[in-house]
Amino acid sequence: MAIVTDSTASLPQDLAAHWGISVASMQLRVGDELTREPRVSTDWLLRAMRNGVPVEAKAPAPDTLLQAYQQAWHDSATAVVSLHVSSRLSPATQAALQASTHVPTPVHIVDSQSSGMALGFAALAGARTAAAGGSPAEVCATAQRRAARTQVIIYIDDLEYLHRAGYIGKTAAYFGSKMAVKPLLTVRDGEVEPMDKLLGSERAVGKAVDRAVELAGEDPVDVAVEHFAAPNDAEELMTALKRKIPRGEEFVRTRVSTAIGANVGPGALAVTISPH
């Protein structure tokens, strides 16, 4: 069985390769240019964003997903489980459905109702179930259950980028326009929602750590720290979490997909707590 996801999962390449997960690249429209995500460097994207160039994340091209499904068929996979970012954030599941009609191998499409490493951990859980001999239905159920139990805390350094991306909605009304107020967000039922607001980045990140420790509780969990153009802050955050979450099993530090980075902006951090 083959496992496919999209690049919003933000999986480190070595982890995806270890578990045989194929990652279909999202697309980015930067100004008038539409291109696959790997061709957009972080530096180029940051320059465009800071200069006010319109940037829009787009679903994987159906051809990109079709290639992944065709490769699975070529490798004699009996089925494909294709796990994707929330349909409320991207039409990736629609692109997967379109591509799936062109291959003989059955493709089971799962809307994870999540993104980032919440999707990444769901894909990893599904891959482990597949490696243990699970059926497509069992793999889908495992991934969906893992995604549903996973929670994310997102620190945004500047709401302007969410505003440009069209995700601001009630978040703007909640946080207002004070630049000193730093928001914490979460993803609930596939949508970005406000969680808390604090004065100053240090307090906001500290609150994110405290909330992550609460969410982890006493059970075994996997933990991810994601960042966009903030590697040093991510490293400090990971160090704090390792110290305060003794039952953390897998700790993953990763840069988010540039498709996510285009929405959250530079300096953004996220903590993902994924119970087993």
Side-chain angles (χ1 to χ4, degrees), residues 43-271:
D43 288 345
W44 177 33
L45 181 61
L46 286 172
R47 283 196 300 271
M49 294 169 68
R50 287 167 174 158
N51 290 330
V53 176
V55 178
E56 183 182 6
K58 309 284 285 184
D63 285 354
T64 301
L65 286 160
L66 179 59
Q67 289 173 8
Y69 301 158
Q70 287 176 329
Q71 185 63 52
W73 176 51
H74 177 76
D75 293 340
S76 302
T78 56
V80 175
V81 174
S82 199
L83 305 154
H84 295 286
V85 60
S86 169
S87 58
R88 296 186 180 188
L89 299 175
S90 167
T93 53
Q94 296 177 22
L97 181 62
Q98 181 180 344
S100 71
T101 62
H102 299 286
V103 290
T105 304
V107 179
H108 304 262
I109 300 168
V110 176
D111 179 350
S112 72
Q113 291 289 292
S114 63
S115 65
M117 276 300 298
L119 171 56
F121 281 135
L124 289 169
R128 292 184 181 109
T129 299
S135 67
E138 289 170 330
V139 171
C140 291
T142 296
Q144 288 174 313
R145 183 168 57 250
R146 188 65 175 266
R149 298 186 66 198
T150 297
Q151 298 191 62
V152 61
I153 307 149
I154 307 166
Y155 163 79
I156 299 293
D157 195 56
D158 187 346
L159 280 171
E160 173 62 24
Y161 299 101
L162 276 176
H163 174 70
R164 292 182 192 174
Y167 292 119
I168 204 74
K170 53 190 171 185
T171 304
Y174 179 74
F175 293 116
S177 59
K178 294 181 180 179
M179 294 301 292
V181 174
K182 298 299 182 180
L184 295 180
L185 311 176
T186 190
V187 178
R188 186 173 291 113
D189 297 326
E191 293 187 299
V192 177
E193 293 190 355
M195 174 183 283
D196 207 343
K197 55 183 176 181
L198 297 103
L199 285 173
S201 58
E202 187 174 342
R203 288 183 179 179
V205 173
K207 179 66 174 181
V209 171
D210 292 343
R211 181 62 179 144
V213 172
E214 291 174 10
L215 292 173
E218 300 299 324
D219 298 324
V221 294
D222 292 331
V223 180
V225 171
E226 300 145 84
H227 72 92
F228 186 60
N232 294 335
D233 292 339
E235 182 61 32
E236 291 179 10
L237 182 53
M238 178 62 86
T239 299
L241 292 169
K242 285 181 176 180
R243 187 172 63 250
K244 295 188 176 187
I245 302 179
R247 298 209 65 188
E249 297 202 349
E250 185 163 27
F251 287 87
V252 178
R253 183 171 65 88
T254 183
R255 182 182 66 80
V256 295
S257 153
T258 50
I260 294 178
N263 294 328
V264 298
L269 298 165
V271 180

Side-chain angles (χ1 to χ4, degrees), residues 26-37 39-40 44 54-62:
M26 298 286 283
Q27 300 179 98
L28 280 170
R29 185 181 298 280
V30 183
D32 295 329
E33 185 173 350
L34 180 65
T35 188
R36 292 175 61 248
E37 186 178 13
R39 297 176 181 170
V40 181
W44 177 33
V55 178
E56 183 182 6
K58 309 284 285 184

